[in-house]
Amino acid sequence: MTAPAIEEHVTALASALRGPARVRDRMVREARDGLLDAADALAAEGLPDDEAARLAVRDFGAVEEIAPDFQRELAVAQARRTAGTVALVVPFLVACWTMVGDPGPGTASLVAGLLAVYAGGVAVVTAVLAAAALAATGTVARRLPDPHRLPELVAWTGTTAGAALGVGALAVTVSALLTADWRLAALTGALTLVSHARVAASARACRTCARLAP
């Protein structure tokens, strides 16, 4: 069936949603398929194709009415993605930080050490929170309602993790300038910076989804 009304409706719906592209595309595709099935059923009863498509769209609901439910699911999906990134990346980086050599005595070394300890402590806490968020939305918890404001909590957990990684990158960079094994420290610092950018971007997307979800 050629159904311009349905195509326009799902295009508007897709434009209104924010979240992981793969999940969003799947949801929009399922909505389109459902509308086409409904329109086909109406057309089988004798309605013209255009009228059947318009009636299916009307019964499905206006974009502003149905988008919040779609957006809520997308927010949870983005929260899981952000939590997974934090839970996977942060413990690995903290372990890498512990392998960086001692930069030796001096004020700069003391500052670098304190920064590393602070960043490591905060990062570990965010990793624990991220793992808890994954458990709260995982297979075991599928039959339970999602915890209230979970996407927002994960968004700020990711933001905090990103900030901790930024501080950790600074500490490791200072260590790279002072330690004899500077190559390992420099590599760890570069890896931390890349991870910081990834976590920060995921957290930013999660904040956007959490803000739009009802």
Side-chain angles (χ1 to χ4, degrees), residues 155-169:
W156 287 109
T157 297
T159 301
T160 304
L165 292 181
V167 173

Side-chain angles (χ1 to χ4, degrees), residues 92-180:
F92 172 73
L93 288 176
V94 172
C96 290
W97 295 350
T98 63
M99 297 172 60
V100 176
D102 184 0
T107 302
S109 299
L110 177 61
V111 171
L114 290 175
L115 286 175
V117 170
Y118 164 76
V122 173
V124 168
V125 171
T126 61
V128 171
L129 290 175
L134 283 175
T137 57
T139 304
V140 176
R142 287 287 167 83
R143 296 184 178 181
L144 301 176
D146 293 317
H148 184 56
R149 304 184 73 85
L150 176 67
E152 184 177 357
L153 172 62
V154 173
W156 287 109
T157 297
T159 301
T160 304
L165 292 181
V167 173
L170 175 62
V172 174
T173 300
V174 172
S175 296
L177 299 174
L178 300 175
T179 185

Side-chain angles (χ1 to χ4, degrees), residues 4 7 13 39 47 50 59 62 73 79 82 91 93 98 108 110 114 116 121 149 159 167 189 199 203 209:
E7 296 302 330
L13 176 62
L47 290 178
D50 289 344
D59 291 343
E73 184 175 342
T82 301
L93 288 176
T98 63
L110 177 61
L114 290 175
R149 304 184 73 85
T159 301
V167 173
V199 169
C209 290

Side-chain angles (χ1 to χ4, degrees), residues 152-213:
E152 184 177 357
L153 172 62
V154 173
W156 287 109
T157 297
T159 301
T160 304
L165 292 181
V167 173
L170 175 62
V172 174
T173 300
V174 172
S175 296
L177 299 174
L178 300 175
T179 185
D181 192 8
W182 62 270
R183 292 180 181 84
L184 175 60
L187 178 61
T188 302
L191 183 61
T192 302
L193 281 175
V194 171
S195 300
H196 159 73
R198 180 179 177 183
V199 169
S202 186
R204 185 164 54 250
C206 194
R207 288 199 304 273
T208 299
C209 290
R211 185 174 66 251
L212 294 175

Side-chain angles (χ1 to χ4, degrees), residues 31-102:
R32 180 180 182 274
D33 291 344
L35 283 167
L36 288 173
D37 288 344
D40 284 340
L42 292 169
E45 296 177 1
L47 290 178
D49 287 352
D50 289 344
E51 184 178 350
R54 287 193 295 270
L55 185 58
V57 167
R58 189 195 68 183
D59 291 343
F60 189 64
V63 170
E64 57 270 18
E65 296 172 348
I66 62 177
D69 290 334
F70 284 80
Q71 187 60 56
R72 190 179 303 111
E73 184 175 342
L74 281 169
V76 173
Q78 181 62 52
R80 282 188 57 79
R81 176 170 295 188
T82 301
T85 300
V86 173
L88 178 65
V89 169
V90 168
F92 172 73
L93 288 176
V94 172
C96 290
W97 295 350
T98 63
M99 297 172 60
V100 176
D102 184 0

